[in-house]
Amino acid sequence: MTYRTIGLTSVLALTAGVAQADAFNRIASFPTHLNIGDGDQAVETSAEIIAVTADGMTLVYTDSPLGVIGRIEITDPANPAPLGNVALDGEPTAVGIAGATAFVGVNTSESYTDPSGHLVAIDVASGDELSRCDLGGQPDSIAVAPDGSFVAVAIENERDEDLGDGRTGQLPAGALVMVDVSEAGADCATLQTVALTGLAEVSPEDPEPEFVDINAAGDVVVSLQENNHMVVVNRAGEVTSHFSAGAIDLENIDATDESGALIFTESQTGVVREPDAVKWVDEDHFATANEGDMDGGSRGWTVFNRDGTVVYESGVSFEHAIIQAGHYPDKRSDSKGVEPESIETATFGDTRMIFVGSERGSMVGVYDATDLASPVLTQLLPSGIGPEGYVSIPERNLLVSANEVDLIEDGGVRSHVMIFEYSDADPVYPHLTSAGADELIGWGAISGLAAVGDETLVAVNDSFYGYQPTVFTIDVSATPARITDALPITRAGRPAQKLDMEGITSDGEGGYWVASEGRIDRMVPHGLYHVNADGEIAQEIGLPNELLAVQRRFGFEGLTLVGDTLWMAVQREWEDDPAGLVKLVAYNLETEEWGAVHYPLDAPTAGWVGLSEIVVQGDHVYLLERDNQIGAAAVTKQITRVSLDQMVPAPLGGDLPVVTKEVVRDLIPDLTSTGGYVLDKVEGLTFTPDGRAWVATDNDGVDDHSGETMFFAVEGLTDSGS
């Protein structure tokens, strides 16, 4: 029943607690719907591929749902401003910039068998079209030569994945196009098409170019993702080298979608890399993000010499670092794991760097690539959901990510462009990591918190990991805080099921009381569980009939022990509760009597408001009260308290006394302090004996979530309201 891999440690300097002279930190997040202006902002938008003008002051990104390019002013990078969208007459696939001219690939294909598209040059400031070149096929990636002299376009002519077996071998074939840049934009008369057929071992008749980049010598590197092949073409349009991207063996991975368990004990052999993004590192080497597509995806990234020699292979190390940071997307285990999709290279100061983006883990890995044969992962940065493209601006010490996922239809977070600054400052993220543990500990969906010592907390995960309920031990003396152990919760020696752990408190004897939030439609009962020091459930306490008769889906969210009485916060109103009042339920462990009081919720401005945690500290109980809103729509994310002398439970079934709450902390400034948007689920709260409050957010198991977990201390709550 073990689910951790033995003997693995991260090379990530940050999470090992090593001080750094310079680091990247996020300073701003720009939601792309702001570029709609006065129009209907409640429509899907997306930031995909992104570029920057030569002066470093304006970002331009492709937005395929809207059929536009969006523009952002970053004169003050900490306060990006919308410059509006420029409408196109097709789907933008990529953008590159020479000076202040944006070159955009536009897909106008009628069908897979009749692909078409054009290259349009647009003045960034005015939005005016300068020139347009027919490309003779469906464009994907675009690259502008470092000297601005020409543009390279990957003509993918992608396959229909729903046709037959969905494999390559569907014509027309893709190609590479090169066109000179002139004062009027693109000089269409110079357009040159370079055939790439007959090169790859996989479907040589049907190359599907995915990504292009150009080095200082004018050489173009092209990834043929589905063909698992790399091609280098010189400025004259001659293929100077080409080779298979190859395959690797993967050990200690989770390769099975087991619906809620992180089990890194599996392996795969002969996994083809199938690179997506590729970027030159110097004139002889390039790096690939091995996302995979048709047959593979090796979960890592590679540095190749232009002759095909592998100079460096990350293997599983990048994915393992993401696992330790709590960003592992378990629902993608049977696919391609964290899916490195994007890559960027630049020199900041005197340090050559490679930035690797995980599409599914929503993280950016920062590598010191001074030694190309042995790059060092120095940081992991949190991004929005689904980072698709990056642009570095080293002359301004900036890195920018474009994050394509927009969950407007589900009431979720919007697509964002995020800006990171490189400065002489301590790295802020991650807040919580399992790096440095004796074993590889996967974690996520942190819910309830409890203190068990001056510098030690425990946390539980919720029902997202339904087959792996766990108590995590956290050392808060480390920076970042460190998960040092994971204790499986068992029933009769096997992982306990039908639990949705939302609260935990120490029993004072080495074990725990755990509150489970029920959900009747999934046969998960509301209940209390006594867990011994070995993680075995020793006692289960169900709800009395008085509560069973009125229960709803949203149940216990947190519990605390006051003397002989367990107090549980109910998240939202049940059937017998007046609107705006929720129960704080009491259970006396000695007399086995149940009771409750009513707690008044703030009125929601949208959605709902409920409770997420309860903990006793001194002569008060403290509670987390939040709405279910995210980003700019969030209003209520706060810590409140109720004096213990009001916590006198009345018998169930009758009128309950209504307690008076005091708001002691608005958490929205804390939740925006790292330059991101306001996360929805503030779920965990506890106090260490020194009076520090610790707060944690739930990352939903990295499912329709960026995976970002905020875990931070708040001082002074016990002194007075603030």
Side-chain angles (χ1 to χ4, degrees):
M1 76 175 241
T2 192
Y3 53 83
R4 295 172 291 176
T5 302
I6 306 298
L8 293 170
T9 56
S10 174
V11 296
L12 186 57
L14 167 62
T15 57
V18 177
Q20 296 179 197
D22 296 287
F24 287 92
N25 284 304
R26 185 176 52 198
I27 59 172
S29 297
F30 177 87
T32 55
H33 68 273
L34 295 184
N35 262 329
I36 297 175
D38 295 332
D40 181 8
Q41 296 187 356
V43 296
E44 182 184 359
T45 68
S46 183
E48 297 160 303
I49 304 302
I50 193 162
V52 67
T53 53
D55 62 4
M57 298 298 174
T58 305
L59 298 170
V60 179
Y61 61 87
T62 59
D63 184 336
S64 62
L66 286 184
V68 302
I69 56 170
R71 300 167 297 171
I72 308 171
E73 181 189 348
I74 57 167
T75 303
D76 178 1
N79 293 285
L83 292 175
N85 294 321
V86 178
L88 304 167
D89 55 357
E91 175 199 9
T93 61
V95 61
I97 295 179
T101 301
F103 295 88
V104 186
V106 181
N107 177 22
T108 58
S109 300
E110 294 288 336
S111 66
Y112 291 104
T113 57
D114 186 21
S116 63
H118 55 263
L119 177 71
V120 60
I122 295 173
D123 179 82
V124 171
S126 67
D128 294 338
E129 181 175 319
L130 303 177
S131 63
R132 175 184 297 217
C133 304
D134 184 271
L135 293 171
Q138 172 243 319
D140 194 338
S141 171
I142 285 178
V144 176
D147 64 2
S149 61
F150 75 102
V151 175
V153 185
I155 305 299
E156 184 178 16
N157 292 346
E158 63 184 349
R159 73 193 192 282
D160 182 353
E161 296 183 34
D162 296 323
L163 179 65
D165 59 7
R167 300 189 62 79
T168 50
Q170 302 176 27
L171 300 181
L176 172 69
V177 164
M178 297 188 290
V179 60
D180 288 352
V181 171
S182 67
E183 291 185 3
D187 184 354
C188 301
T190 66
L191 189 146
Q192 178 184 15
T193 300
V194 180
L196 301 173
T197 53
L199 302 178
E201 297 173 6
V202 178
S203 301
E205 79 286 1
D206 181 28
E208 289 194 19
E210 186 75 23
F211 209 95
V212 293
D213 193 42
I214 307 171
N215 67 12
D219 297 318
V220 182
V221 60
V222 188
S223 65
L224 311 182
Q225 185 171 21
E226 290 81 0
N227 310 87
N228 195 40
H229 211 77
M230 304 300 301
V231 182
V232 178
V233 178
N234 66 19
R235 181 65 184 91
E238 302 165 329
V239 174
T240 59
S241 69
H242 68 92
F243 52 87
S244 169
I248 68 169
D249 297 334
L250 300 174
E251 300 285 344
N252 301 317
I253 63 170
D254 187 344
T256 306
D257 182 6
E258 60 284 295
S259 300
L262 300 173
I263 304 175
F264 303 107
T265 58
E266 297 176 283
S267 62
Q268 292 177 338
T269 59
V271 181
V272 292
R273 291 186 173 96
E274 289 189 347
D276 185 337
V278 58
K279 282 295 180 78
W280 289 98
V281 182
D282 56 32
E283 291 191 15
D284 295 312
H285 302 89
F286 47 80
T288 63
N290 304 327
E291 178 201 22
D293 193 325
M294 190 171 68
D295 292 319
S298 62
R299 305 183 180 219
W301 64 283
T302 308
V303 176
F304 288 101
N305 187 288
R306 64 191 299 151
D307 65 7
T309 304
V310 174
V311 177
Y312 170 78
E313 168 57 52
S314 72
V316 297
S317 63
F318 180 55
E319 181 166 279
H320 281 184
I322 290 172
I323 291 166
Q324 292 168 330
H327 281 243
Y328 183 75
D330 184 51
K331 287 190 175 180
R332 302 296 300 179
S333 291
D334 62 339
S335 182
K336 293 163 284 185
V338 299
E339 289 192 31
E341 181 176 19
S342 307
I343 207 150
E344 171 70 326
T345 59
T347 297
F348 282 76
D350 297 325
T351 304
R352 179 168 60 189
M353 296 183 182
I354 298 175
F355 305 93
V356 184
S358 163
E359 179 186 11
R360 300 296 178 175
S362 297
M363 296 206 87
V364 183
V366 181
Y367 285 83
D368 180 335
T370 301
D371 180 358
L372 270 185
S374 186
V376 176
L377 179 61
T378 60
Q379 283 189 265
L380 286 170
L381 305 175
S383 201
I385 306 177
E388 179 80 6
Y390 301 89
V391 63
S392 57
I393 316 173
E395 62 274 15
R396 298 192 67 196
N397 287 320
L398 299 176
L399 173 72
V400 182
S401 71
N403 306 281
E404 66 175 341
V405 174
D406 189 325
L407 298 175
I408 179 63
E409 291 186 1
D410 300 320
V413 70
R414 308 304 303 269
S415 170
H416 278 74
V417 169
M418 292 188 171
I419 302 173
F420 305 85
E421 183 178 46
Y422 188 61
S423 66
D424 183 9
D426 293 332
V428 170
Y429 199 79
H431 289 178
L432 181 64
T433 177
S434 64
D438 294 336
E439 302 168 313
L440 179 63
I441 299 176
W443 61 275
I446 292 298
S447 185
L449 289 179
V452 294
D454 291 340
E455 302 290 352
T456 306
L457 308 184
V458 290
V460 289
N461 55 10
D462 66 22
S463 61
F464 185 86
Y465 301 103
Y467 293 95
Q468 199 176 54
T470 304
V471 175
F472 298 99
T473 300
I474 302 172
D475 176 6
V476 295
S477 69
T479 302
R482 189 167 304 159
I483 295 174
T484 59
D485 190 43
L487 176 69
I489 303 300
T490 58
R491 184 186 283 115
R494 300 178 62 83
Q497 297 185 28
K498 301 302 181 182
L499 292 180
D500 184 5
M501 300 189 298
E502 295 287 353
I504 183 171
T505 191
S506 171
D507 68 358
E509 299 177 353
Y512 311 101
W513 283 99
V514 173
S516 179
E517 179 181 23
R519 183 161 179 177
I520 303 305
D521 60 339
R522 297 181 181 175
M523 302 300 290
V524 178
H526 298 280
L528 303 174
Y529 298 84
H530 192 200
V531 178
N532 67 25
D534 295 324
E536 180 74 9
I537 293 176
Q539 183 182 5
E540 303 187 24
I541 301 174
L543 271 60
N545 290 333
E546 296 93 331
L547 292 178
L548 288 174
V550 297
Q551 66 181 314
R552 288 181 176 171
R553 170 186 166 188
F554 298 95
F556 293 158
E557 289 269 342
L559 85 167
T560 191
L561 184 60
V562 182
D564 294 328
T565 300
L566 288 171
W567 280 95
M568 288 69 66
V570 177
Q571 185 174 72
R572 292 174 62 187
E573 301 96 331
W574 283 2
E575 291 181 5
D576 61 336
D577 294 321
L581 295 177
V582 293
K583 293 183 182 71
L584 305 180
V585 176
Y587 177 74
N588 189 289
L589 295 171
E590 293 297 321
T591 67
E592 300 183 354
E593 294 177 324
W594 292 83
V597 297
H598 265 141
Y599 173 95
L601 296 170
D602 279 12
T605 57
W608 53 260
V609 171
L611 296 178
S612 287
E613 182 70 284
I614 182 171
V615 60
V616 65
Q617 175 68 13
D619 55 1
H620 290 81
V621 291
Y622 290 77
L623 302 106
L624 278 178
E625 185 178 346
R626 68 171 179 90
D627 57 23
N628 67 334
Q629 302 300 296
I630 196 166
V635 173
T636 304
K637 313 286 186 186
Q638 62 191 19
I639 300 174
T640 68
R641 69 182 181 185
V642 175
S643 63
L644 277 178
D645 59 16
Q646 297 186 68
M647 301 292 286
V648 180
L652 299 174
D655 292 336
L656 301 179
V658 180
V659 299
T660 301
K661 72 181 182 186
E662 175 189 6
V663 177
V664 295
R665 182 79 169 197
D666 177 6
L667 290 171
I668 288 181
D670 298 289
L671 296 172
T672 57
S673 64
T674 61
Y677 50 79
V678 178
L679 299 172
D680 172 17
K681 293 186 177 180
V682 187
E683 290 276 296
L685 172 68
T686 194
F687 287 84
T688 47
D690 60 7
R692 285 178 299 167
W694 288 89
V695 178
T697 63
D698 176 356
N699 73 1
D700 282 335
V702 203
D703 183 28
D704 283 342
H705 195 290
S706 69
E708 185 169 351
T709 295
M710 297 192 72
F711 184 88
F712 55 92
V714 176
E715 307 280 354
L717 290 189
T718 57
D719 299 331
S720 62
S722 61

